[in-house]
Amino acid sequence: MPTRRFKIFRYNPHTDERPRYQEYEVQVPTGSTVLDALNEIKWTQDGTLTYRRSCRHGICGSCAMTINGANMLACEAQVHTLKRDPIVVEPLRSFPVIKDLVVDMDGFFDKLLLVKPYLIVKTPPPTDKERYQSPEDRKLLDGAYECILCGACTSSCPSFWADKEFLGPAALLKAYRFIFDTRDEGVQERLDVLDNKHGLWRCHTIFNCVEACPKGLNPTWAIGELKKKVISEKF
Amino acid sequence: MRDYGFGSGGAFHWFLQRVSGVVLFILLLVHFLTTHYFPVGDITYQKVLARLSQPGWKLFYMVFIALGLYHGINGIWIIAQDYVARSSWRFIILGLLMVAGLILFMLGSITVIPFKA
């Protein structure tokens, strides 16, 4: 069974003066993911290693982290595809570290709430059926509703590195998902949130978010559509 | 929940940055074609003088200067907004950029407008 070395970011803000990196050697059977390796380390070598994990199937978004410099889900990152030795595992950039690989996502979710991530309707619902959405209208949301809110995109965004109050690609993609939902009646109040100095205009189409998204989504494109929407509403 | 400082947008400047970029590309193309690629004979001071003496070309270059300055200065301002959070510093930077733009526009104007054969 092959053995791989892992160099893992360790930091406890309550006890450590500064972060450090710790190396571990792990036996990795074929098909092992980075999450499998982290579990192996935690369960058999060092129980103090801290990281988030849940579903193990790339859908809960808990285990997003920086692996060999790129943001990805640990549960989807196959160890054999990672060529660098040792494999460097770090917490998501630009979020405050709570401990080791666990980051504080409060600000991330605060911004998500700001864009009102729910259907806003003012007209009463039909009494005999649900609110109608044609298949064509539904297709408009493809590539927007699949976001798992792992934070990989926002953490990879240089605009977010520079301006921590920037809404970030995840919140903006969520805004797109509802603004372009033909059943939604809250376009204007969402656009008011997006059109501000920490909103849409901080995106400079760098495309890091596209590269980082583990679900293959394209927040940069969605942000471009939102910019066009704001411009067409204003002028 | 924190207030993320909503209020001042950026839609207008974002839009104008794109419009000015497209117009500048066209103006630059015309400038290069007339000055460097299709001049009749060699470029001489007399020929440039003759061209820049015409009101149409004066207007062309004044628009060129205005849009070029707007595009460049707005670009720097957009970058500054990424990195400067304090409103006092933002105010100072915006003020300096506007003054620099005004001075450069005046320098351009006093070169282009009085130019005559």
Side-chain angles (χ1 to χ4, degrees):
Chain A
M1 194 184 297
T3 301
R4 292 294 300 269
R5 289 191 305 149
F6 287 80
K7 188 176 170 186
I8 301 179
F9 179 98
R10 303 298 309 271
Y11 183 49
N12 182 346
H14 299 294
T15 56
D16 300 339
E17 255 181 49
R18 60 180 68 87
R20 63 193 162 86
Y21 286 85
Q22 192 166 346
E23 284 203 13
Y24 302 91
E25 279 196 12
V26 186
Q27 288 193 324
V28 282
T30 310
S32 288
T33 64
V34 170
L35 182 61
D36 292 329
L38 292 175
N39 287 338
E40 185 66 18
I41 293 166
K42 185 167 180 75
W43 296 339
T44 65
Q45 297 184 32
D46 183 353
T48 67
L49 178 64
T50 308
Y51 52 95
R52 279 199 185 102
R53 55 157 176 75
S54 185
C55 77
R56 209 168 60 86
H57 289 95
I59 199 63
C60 73
S62 303
C63 65
M65 50 188 76
T66 306
I67 299 167
N68 283 351
N71 288 356
M72 54 185 92
L73 297 178
C75 68
E76 285 189 335
Q78 292 281 322
V79 172
H80 78 274
T81 64
L82 302 166
K83 300 302 175 203
R84 190 191 293 175
D85 181 62
I87 295 166
V88 181
V89 185
E90 297 163 304
L92 287 178
R93 285 189 188 91
S94 272
F95 292 130
V97 174
I98 294 174
K99 186 171 184 283
D100 298 339
L101 303 174
V102 176
V103 293
D104 184 352
M105 304 284 282
D106 280 359
F108 176 81
F109 287 111
D110 276 356
K111 287 166 193 158
L112 185 76
L113 292 178
L114 285 171
V115 303
K116 305 177 194 290
Y118 39 81
L119 200 69
I120 299 173
V121 284
K122 284 149 190 168
T123 51
T127 51
D128 56 337
K129 58 184 176 187
E130 60 195 19
R131 290 179 192 277
Y132 181 66
Q133 183 182 43
S134 70
E136 294 74 29
D137 291 343
R138 164 62 188 77
K139 265 198 106 47
L140 292 174
L141 309 180
D142 280 351
Y145 73 87
E146 300 94 328
C147 174
I148 58 172
L149 299 173
C150 65
C153 58
T154 297
S155 153
S156 74
C157 173
S159 294
F160 178 69
W161 301 343
D163 176 6
K164 293 291 183 295
E165 295 184 12
F166 171 43
L167 286 173
L172 291 171
L173 183 65
K174 188 61 77 180
Y176 173 94
R177 183 255 171 270
F178 286 100
I179 286 171
F180 285 87
D181 188 320
T182 48
R183 300 164 300 174
D184 191 77
E185 294 163 4
V187 173
Q188 200 51 53
E189 48 194 287
R190 283 204 193 82
L191 290 184
D192 289 344
V193 175
L194 304 187
D195 178 23
N196 78 86
K197 64 182 177 182
H198 301 297
L200 275 180
W201 318 110
R202 296 271 64 77
C203 169
H204 306 309
T205 50
I206 297 164
F207 285 96
N208 273 16
C209 54
V210 180
E211 211 165 85
C213 180
K215 307 312 285 182
L217 307 181
N218 190 338
T220 307
W221 176 83
I223 294 168
E225 293 301 305
L226 288 171
K227 285 172 176 170
K228 286 195 271 182
K229 180 88 176 165
V230 171
I231 295 297
S232 62
E233 295 278 327
K234 273 184 172 282
F235 307 113
Chain B
M1 191 187 298
R2 290 183 61 191
D3 172 20
Y4 285 95
F6 293 157
S8 77
F12 184 69
H13 292 298
W14 181 87
F15 184 56
L16 267 191
Q17 188 75 351
R18 267 111 201 113
V19 172
S20 61
V22 171
V23 178
L24 276 171
F25 177 76
I26 296 164
L27 295 179
L28 197 65
L29 209 63
V30 172
H31 168 79
F32 267 95
L33 290 175
T34 52
T35 312
H36 300 290
Y37 293 105
F38 302 114
V40 184
D42 296 332
I43 305 173
T44 62
Y45 179 73
Q46 291 309 320
K47 283 181 182 169
V48 174
L49 196 66
R51 183 160 54 89
L52 282 184
S53 301
Q54 299 167 38
W57 279 108
K58 283 186 195 294
L59 181 68
F60 175 90
Y61 280 106
M62 287 311 296
V63 173
F64 204 159
I65 289 168
L67 287 181
L69 282 171
Y70 175 80
H71 194 81
I73 285 172
N74 192 38
I76 297 171
W77 173 231
I78 288 169
I79 295 168
Q81 287 179 91
D82 278 352
Y83 294 98
V84 182
R86 282 181 62 172
S87 52
S88 54
W89 274 110
R90 282 182 174 225
F91 183 76
I92 292 168
I93 291 169
L94 184 61
L96 287 173
L97 286 172
M98 287 174 82
V99 170
L102 206 63
I103 292 171
L104 289 169
F105 183 74
M106 282 168 63
L107 281 174
S109 305
I110 59 172
T111 308
V112 170
I113 293 170
F115 216 79
K116 57 184 176 190

